[in-house]
Every structure is written in C-alpha cells, then in structure tokens.
Amino acid sequence: EMLQKIRAIPGVSSAGLSMSVPMDGNEWSDNVFARDHTYSPGEMPLRRYRFATPGFFKTLGTPLIAGRDFTWNDMYNKVPVAIVSERLAREYWHNPKNALGKQIRSTRKDDWREVVGVVGNIHDDGVDRPAPSSVYWPFLTTHLEGLDTLVIRWPAVSIRSPLAGSESFMNEVRRAVWSVDSDLPLARVQTLDYYERASMARTSFTLTMLGLAGGMALLIGMVGLYGVISYSVSQRTHEMGIRVALGAQKRDVLRLVLAGGMSLVTIGVGIGIAGALAVTRFLSSLLYGVKPNDPLTFVAVSILLTVVTLVACYIPARRATKVDPMVALRYE
C-alpha cells in the first residue's frame, strides 16, 4: 500500500522495496549452494544477499538480462524463487541463460529455490570496485537461513523521479508514507548519487591532489620549455641575419627554426610517453571509467606540448626575421 501511494506521486516513474540500496553500507553475505554443483567439506561459497520486491531493479535501472522479475504472487504465496546477478550466473553456469531453472539455497535446512531471473551486476562496494556476485531473495519468504519465516523489517524504499533530492518532493513522500502509517520514521533519505560520491570520496580527493600537482608540473614544464627554446632561438639572431643577407626568405628561416624545435619536442614527447606508460600503471587502482594508458589523455598532452614548442620557436624567430640584416649581423 505504501508503494502504491508513492507511485501515485506526480513525477514518480517507479518505486520498489529492498533490504538496502547499493553502496549504503548495509551488506549481508552468506552461503549460496547450487544443486548441480559439488562442494568440498567445509567450503563456504559466500555471496552477497539482498531482499527485494517487484520494481526494485526497474527503479535502479538494473537491466534484466534473462528470465523475469519477482511478482507480488511470489511474495504473498512464498514461492521458492530467486534472482541472481550476471556475475554469479557466469561463475556457476558460464552463461546467464543457463542459470534459469537452476536451484540454489543457503543452508541444508532451506528449500531449494528456482532461479527465475538474471540481472545486471550492481556495484555494491563502490563504483571503483568490482561488482560482487549477488543473490536476490523475495522480500517475504519462508525456509531461508534456517528460519521458518523471514521478513525484512528495515525496508529501504527506492524511488525514481527527476524531482529526487528536492525538499518539496520529500514532503510528498512523507505524506504518502504517513497516510499508511503515521508512526513510520523516514531515515537516511539520500539520492543514489550521494552514495556514489561517498564511495569515491577518498579516491576523488587523492586524484584531485594528483591532478593539481600534475597541472602545476605541466604549467611549469610549459613555461620552462618556452623559455629555453625562446632563448635558444634568440641566440641564433646573428645566424638568421647572415641567412637573410645571403638571400634566404623569411619563411625559409621560420621553417628552419620550427623544424629544429619540432625535432626536439618529438624526441622529448617520445621519451615522456614511454616514461608515463611505465609509471601510470601504478595509478590503475585510483582510476574509474578511464584506463591508465588512456590514448586521449596522452594525445591531448602531447599536442599541448607541441603547440607550446611551436609558439616558443615562432615568436622569437619571427621577431628576428623582421630585424634589419645589418643589425642582425652586428647582434651579440
């Protein structure tokens, strides 16, 4: 009844109940035995547990890879069914479709439960960590964990809405819940984005510090590169005066200087890329959504350094070509 009230709120596209939501810290792991597998004595095949109602996966946006979702008939009639994650399905049966119809249970006292669905992996431990192998049980069930009846009494309500996070929307949710039971408190009300940021807080801080240090190093390197090449080119003013006096065109002088600078930057960028490839693999544990040897990053930095080199060569070379040849010849 509470879910129906919440789903009736304008802007809510779906809602579901579960034991917890991803990355909120409420973890439950226990044994999961498959009927068609054999286990050595004392083996503990631990997997992540979560209890859910129909609509939970749709609300999170978790894809249904094979089979079906839970139904309210499964809940009310205590049908012995289960849903597993893609990772668990591949570990046990190599293919998500092969998992359908298989039977699993938690303890020897439990009933065997038929796998009726396979859903996408959920990063319970943070987006920067591998998704655990998970099993999803009906929110209301019997003969699980050695208990005759098991009911989750601390439900987490997941709601999908573009208004999530606004105070006006939360007031609507409170009114919907309290219209069913005015004594129910709403605690730990957060968006899923909050839990995602919290799970990445330490990594984000470390990467921010490394990014600032790397940015300063890049800036200092660009200034130093410009200064060195600019000074080197300015020292060739006498040479350029001689070339112009002997009939060289200004574009020929510019081309000569730019070619010399580009040969230096090509060697430098090559050495830098080789060194970066050797070092950045140590940062792999801090990266998410990008590889340590991301080609776009390497190309962007290489182009930036190349442009700085071209500017450092072009400005003093162009200045020198505009000097009167007699002045350039007397330049010390």
Side-chain angles (χ1 to χ4, degrees), residues 249-287:
Q249 299 295 318
K250 293 182 178 180
R251 62 175 179 273
D252 297 326
V253 175
L254 284 174
R255 189 181 301 114
L256 175 66
V257 175
L258 292 177
M262 288 306 299
S263 63
L264 291 175
V265 78
T266 300
I267 296 173
V269 168
I271 296 174
I273 289 177
L277 289 173
V279 173
T280 51
R281 59 190 180 90
F282 297 108
L283 298 176
S284 58
S285 61
L286 298 174
L287 302 178

Tab-separated table of all heavy atoms in Angstrom, residues 249-287:
chain	number	residue	atom	x	y	z
A	249	GLN	N	64.733	33.614	-47.733
A	249	GLN	CA	63.434	34.201	-47.473
A	249	GLN	C	63.070	34.025	-45.997
A	249	GLN	O	63.525	33.112	-45.317
A	249	GLN	CB	62.373	33.544	-48.356
A	249	GLN	CG	62.621	33.707	-49.850
A	249	GLN	CD	62.535	35.167	-50.270
A	249	GLN	OE1	61.650	35.905	-49.818
A	249	GLN	NE2	63.465	35.591	-51.128
A	250	LYS	N	62.198	34.915	-45.510
A	250	LYS	CA	61.791	34.836	-44.109
A	250	LYS	C	61.099	33.509	-43.784
A	250	LYS	O	61.297	32.934	-42.711
A	250	LYS	CB	60.863	36.007	-43.772
A	250	LYS	CG	61.562	37.356	-43.817
A	250	LYS	CD	60.604	38.472	-43.434
A	250	LYS	CE	61.334	39.817	-43.441
A	250	LYS	NZ	60.440	40.947	-43.065
A	251	ARG	N	60.272	33.029	-44.729
A	251	ARG	CA	59.572	31.762	-44.469
A	251	ARG	C	60.544	30.595	-44.393
A	251	ARG	O	60.306	29.628	-43.681
A	251	ARG	CB	58.521	31.512	-45.544
A	251	ARG	CG	59.051	31.376	-46.952
A	251	ARG	CD	57.923	30.993	-47.921
A	251	ARG	NE	58.395	30.889	-49.283
A	251	ARG	CZ	58.467	31.900	-50.141
A	251	ARG	NH1	58.134	33.122	-49.745
A	251	ARG	NH2	58.907	31.722	-51.373
A	252	ASP	N	61.672	30.707	-45.139
A	252	ASP	CA	62.676	29.652	-45.068
A	252	ASP	C	63.330	29.632	-43.682
A	252	ASP	O	63.601	28.560	-43.118
A	252	ASP	CB	63.747	29.859	-46.147
A	252	ASP	CG	63.165	29.766	-47.548
A	252	ASP	OD1	62.219	28.970	-47.727
A	252	ASP	OD2	63.653	30.482	-48.437
A	253	VAL	N	63.592	30.831	-43.156
A	253	VAL	CA	64.189	30.917	-41.823
A	253	VAL	C	63.226	30.377	-40.765
A	253	VAL	O	63.610	29.620	-39.870
A	253	VAL	CB	64.581	32.371	-41.498
A	253	VAL	CG1	65.099	32.480	-40.071
A	253	VAL	CG2	65.633	32.874	-42.486
A	254	LEU	N	61.965	30.760	-40.897
A	254	LEU	CA	60.953	30.268	-39.952
A	254	LEU	C	60.842	28.752	-40.012
A	254	LEU	O	60.760	28.067	-38.977
A	254	LEU	CB	59.599	30.919	-40.255
A	254	LEU	CG	59.414	32.373	-39.815
A	254	LEU	CD1	58.079	32.898	-40.319
A	254	LEU	CD2	59.475	32.492	-38.307
A	255	ARG	N	60.820	28.221	-41.226
A	255	ARG	CA	60.705	26.771	-41.399
A	255	ARG	C	61.896	26.051	-40.775
A	255	ARG	O	61.743	25.005	-40.141
A	255	ARG	CB	60.597	26.432	-42.880
A	255	ARG	CG	60.249	24.962	-43.138
A	255	ARG	CD	60.169	24.648	-44.623
A	255	ARG	NE	59.158	25.468	-45.276
A	255	ARG	CZ	59.402	26.400	-46.188
A	255	ARG	NH1	60.667	26.667	-46.540
A	255	ARG	NH2	58.429	27.074	-46.757
A	256	LEU	N	63.074	26.630	-40.939
A	256	LEU	CA	64.277	26.028	-40.380
A	256	LEU	C	64.209	25.984	-38.848
A	256	LEU	O	64.509	24.958	-38.229
A	256	LEU	CB	65.507	26.829	-40.821
A	256	LEU	CG	66.848	26.386	-40.226
A	256	LEU	CD1	67.207	24.994	-40.745
A	256	LEU	CD2	67.941	27.387	-40.569
A	257	VAL	N	63.801	27.101	-38.249
A	257	VAL	CA	63.730	27.164	-36.786
A	257	VAL	C	62.654	26.228	-36.259
A	257	VAL	O	62.867	25.502	-35.275
A	257	VAL	CB	63.465	28.615	-36.332
A	257	VAL	CG1	63.259	28.667	-34.816
A	257	VAL	CG2	64.616	29.515	-36.738
A	258	LEU	N	61.494	26.234	-36.905
A	258	LEU	CA	60.394	25.376	-36.445
A	258	LEU	C	60.758	23.898	-36.585
A	258	LEU	O	60.416	23.082	-35.721
A	258	LEU	CB	59.127	25.681	-37.247
A	258	LEU	CG	58.498	27.059	-36.990
A	258	LEU	CD1	57.292	27.258	-37.889
A	258	LEU	CD2	58.089	27.208	-35.530
A	259	ALA	N	61.460	23.549	-37.636
A	259	ALA	CA	61.870	22.151	-37.829
A	259	ALA	C	62.814	21.715	-36.718
A	259	ALA	O	62.721	20.594	-36.193
A	259	ALA	CB	62.526	21.978	-39.195
A	260	GLY	N	63.738	22.621	-36.346
A	260	GLY	CA	64.657	22.285	-35.259
A	260	GLY	C	63.936	22.104	-33.941
A	260	GLY	O	64.211	21.172	-33.175
A	261	GLY	N	62.978	23.001	-33.673
A	261	GLY	CA	62.218	22.875	-32.431
A	261	GLY	C	61.358	21.630	-32.403
A	261	GLY	O	61.250	20.953	-31.377
A	262	MET	N	60.757	21.286	-33.544
A	262	MET	CA	59.895	20.109	-33.603
A	262	MET	C	60.682	18.823	-33.428
A	262	MET	O	60.184	17.844	-32.859
A	262	MET	CB	59.127	20.077	-34.931
A	262	MET	CG	58.032	21.121	-35.029
A	262	MET	SD	56.861	21.037	-33.646
A	262	MET	CE	56.221	19.372	-33.860
A	263	SER	N	61.914	18.813	-33.933
A	263	SER	CA	62.731	17.605	-33.748
A	263	SER	C	63.015	17.381	-32.273
A	263	SER	O	62.977	16.245	-31.779
A	263	SER	CB	64.041	17.736	-34.533
A	263	SER	OG	64.812	18.831	-34.034
A	264	LEU	N	63.243	18.481	-31.540
A	264	LEU	CA	63.489	18.362	-30.101
A	264	LEU	C	62.242	17.904	-29.357
A	264	LEU	O	62.309	17.032	-28.488
A	264	LEU	CB	63.970	19.706	-29.540
A	264	LEU	CG	65.359	20.182	-29.973
A	264	LEU	CD1	65.628	21.579	-29.421
A	264	LEU	CD2	66.424	19.211	-29.493
A	265	VAL	N	61.093	18.496	-29.685
A	265	VAL	CA	59.868	18.143	-28.967
A	265	VAL	C	59.431	16.719	-29.304
A	265	VAL	O	58.858	16.019	-28.465
A	265	VAL	CB	58.744	19.150	-29.278
A	265	VAL	CG1	58.110	18.896	-30.634
A	265	VAL	CG2	57.665	19.079	-28.198
A	266	THR	N	59.706	16.268	-30.513
A	266	THR	CA	59.351	14.897	-30.878
A	266	THR	C	60.120	13.894	-30.019
A	266	THR	O	59.555	12.924	-29.501
A	266	THR	CB	59.641	14.639	-32.370
A	266	THR	OG1	58.863	15.549	-33.154
A	266	THR	CG2	59.281	13.207	-32.740
A	267	ILE	N	61.422	14.160	-29.870
A	267	ILE	CA	62.236	13.280	-29.020
A	267	ILE	C	61.746	13.350	-27.572
A	267	ILE	O	61.591	12.333	-26.895
A	267	ILE	CB	63.723	13.682	-29.111
A	267	ILE	CG1	64.237	13.480	-30.541
A	267	ILE	CG2	64.552	12.878	-28.115
A	267	ILE	CD1	65.640	14.003	-30.764
A	268	GLY	N	61.467	14.566	-27.086
A	268	GLY	CA	61.024	14.732	-25.710
A	268	GLY	C	59.681	14.079	-25.432
A	268	GLY	O	59.499	13.407	-24.407
A	269	VAL	N	58.732	14.259	-26.343
A	269	VAL	CA	57.402	13.647	-26.164
A	269	VAL	C	57.503	12.129	-26.205
A	269	VAL	O	56.840	11.429	-25.436
A	269	VAL	CB	56.434	14.163	-27.244
A	269	VAL	CG1	55.154	13.340	-27.267
A	269	VAL	CG2	56.089	15.626	-26.990
A	270	GLY	N	58.355	11.611	-27.095
A	270	GLY	CA	58.529	10.158	-27.161
A	270	GLY	C	59.055	9.586	-25.857
A	270	GLY	O	58.547	8.576	-25.349
A	271	ILE	N	60.066	10.249	-25.294
A	271	ILE	CA	60.618	9.798	-24.013
A	271	ILE	C	59.572	9.954	-22.903
A	271	ILE	O	59.419	9.082	-22.035
A	271	ILE	CB	61.890	10.592	-23.667
A	271	ILE	CG1	62.984	10.309	-24.701
A	271	ILE	CG2	62.384	10.261	-22.265
A	271	ILE	CD1	64.228	11.150	-24.525
A	272	GLY	N	58.825	11.060	-22.945
A	272	GLY	CA	57.808	11.300	-21.924
A	272	GLY	C	56.695	10.272	-21.952
A	272	GLY	O	56.244	9.797	-20.904
A	273	ILE	N	56.241	9.907	-23.143
A	273	ILE	CA	55.181	8.911	-23.260
A	273	ILE	C	55.656	7.555	-22.746
A	273	ILE	O	54.926	6.845	-22.036
A	273	ILE	CB	54.705	8.803	-24.725
A	273	ILE	CG1	53.931	10.066	-25.117
A	273	ILE	CG2	53.833	7.565	-24.921
A	273	ILE	CD1	53.477	10.090	-26.557
A	274	ALA	N	56.875	7.188	-23.099
A	274	ALA	CA	57.421	5.911	-22.620
A	274	ALA	C	57.497	5.889	-21.093
A	274	ALA	O	57.127	4.903	-20.443
A	274	ALA	CB	58.802	5.678	-23.227
A	275	GLY	N	57.957	7.000	-20.514
A	275	GLY	CA	58.031	7.066	-19.053
A	275	GLY	C	56.666	7.059	-18.411
A	275	GLY	O	56.446	6.416	-17.372
A	276	ALA	N	55.694	7.762	-19.023
A	276	ALA	CA	54.335	7.810	-18.473
A	276	ALA	C	53.674	6.439	-18.520
A	276	ALA	O	52.981	6.036	-17.581
A	276	ALA	CB	53.501	8.832	-19.237
A	277	LEU	N	53.859	5.722	-19.600
A	277	LEU	CA	53.284	4.379	-19.702
A	277	LEU	C	53.838	3.454	-18.631
A	277	LEU	O	53.132	2.566	-18.130
A	277	LEU	CB	53.557	3.799	-21.094
A	277	LEU	CG	52.777	4.413	-22.252
A	277	LEU	CD1	53.267	3.854	-23.579
A	277	LEU	CD2	51.271	4.128	-22.096
A	278	ALA	N	55.094	3.657	-18.268
A	278	ALA	CA	55.706	2.810	-17.243
A	278	ALA	C	55.228	3.174	-15.847
A	278	ALA	O	55.150	2.310	-14.967
A	278	ALA	CB	57.229	2.931	-17.319
A	279	VAL	N	54.877	4.451	-15.634
A	279	VAL	CA	54.523	4.911	-14.290
A	279	VAL	C	53.023	4.851	-14.017
A	279	VAL	O	52.594	4.501	-12.915
A	279	VAL	CB	55.043	6.351	-14.074
A	279	VAL	CG1	54.536	6.917	-12.746
A	279	VAL	CG2	56.561	6.377	-14.102
A	280	THR	N	52.188	5.177	-15.013
A	280	THR	CA	50.752	5.320	-14.766
A	280	THR	C	50.064	4.012	-14.403
A	280	THR	O	48.952	4.035	-13.871
A	280	THR	CB	50.049	5.916	-16.000
A	280	THR	OG1	50.420	5.160	-17.171
A	280	THR	CG2	50.443	7.363	-16.203
A	281	ARG	N	50.689	2.872	-14.669
A	281	ARG	CA	50.043	1.614	-14.292
A	281	ARG	C	49.895	1.501	-12.779
A	281	ARG	O	49.041	0.760	-12.290
A	281	ARG	CB	50.832	0.418	-14.837
A	281	ARG	CG	52.268	0.335	-14.368
A	281	ARG	CD	53.055	-0.724	-15.130
A	281	ARG	NE	54.431	-0.814	-14.694
A	281	ARG	CZ	54.857	-1.609	-13.731
A	281	ARG	NH1	53.989	-2.386	-13.098
A	281	ARG	NH2	56.127	-1.651	-13.392
A	282	PHE	N	50.713	2.257	-12.033
A	282	PHE	CA	50.587	2.244	-10.578
A	282	PHE	C	49.361	3.026	-10.111
A	282	PHE	O	48.982	2.947	-8.943
A	282	PHE	CB	51.850	2.832	-9.933
A	282	PHE	CG	53.098	2.031	-10.206
A	282	PHE	CD1	54.065	2.499	-11.066
A	282	PHE	CD2	53.283	0.793	-9.595
A	282	PHE	CE1	55.221	1.757	-11.324
A	282	PHE	CE2	54.430	0.047	-9.853
A	282	PHE	CZ	55.392	0.524	-10.714
A	283	LEU	N	48.730	3.788	-11.026
A	283	LEU	CA	47.545	4.561	-10.671
A	283	LEU	C	46.249	3.836	-11.012
A	283	LEU	O	45.166	4.381	-10.807
A	283	LEU	CB	47.555	5.910	-11.414
A	283	LEU	CG	48.717	6.857	-11.117
A	283	LEU	CD1	48.612	8.087	-12.007
A	283	LEU	CD2	48.712	7.267	-9.659
A	284	SER	N	46.336	2.633	-11.529
A	284	SER	CA	45.141	1.929	-12.004
A	284	SER	C	44.095	1.747	-10.909
A	284	SER	O	42.895	1.773	-11.172
A	284	SER	CB	45.533	0.571	-12.593
A	284	SER	OG	46.208	-0.215	-11.631
A	285	SER	N	44.524	1.562	-9.653
A	285	SER	CA	43.577	1.355	-8.558
A	285	SER	C	42.797	2.621	-8.221
A	285	SER	O	41.769	2.559	-7.544
A	285	SER	CB	44.309	0.861	-7.311
A	285	SER	OG	45.261	1.823	-6.872
A	286	LEU	N	43.286	3.784	-8.677
A	286	LEU	CA	42.617	5.050	-8.374
A	286	LEU	C	41.715	5.520	-9.496
A	286	LEU	O	40.973	6.491	-9.322
A	286	LEU	CB	43.658	6.141	-8.094
A	286	LEU	CG	44.583	5.919	-6.894
A	286	LEU	CD1	45.637	7.016	-6.856
A	286	LEU	CD2	43.784	5.910	-5.601
A	287	LEU	N	41.756	4.839	-10.631
A	287	LEU	CA	41.035	5.314	-11.804
A	287	LEU	C	39.722	4.567	-11.988
A	287	LEU	O	39.626	3.376	-11.703
A	287	LEU	CB	41.899	5.148	-13.060
A	287	LEU	CG	43.256	5.878	-13.034
A	287	LEU	CD1	44.013	5.590	-14.324
A	287	LEU	CD2	43.054	7.370	-12.851
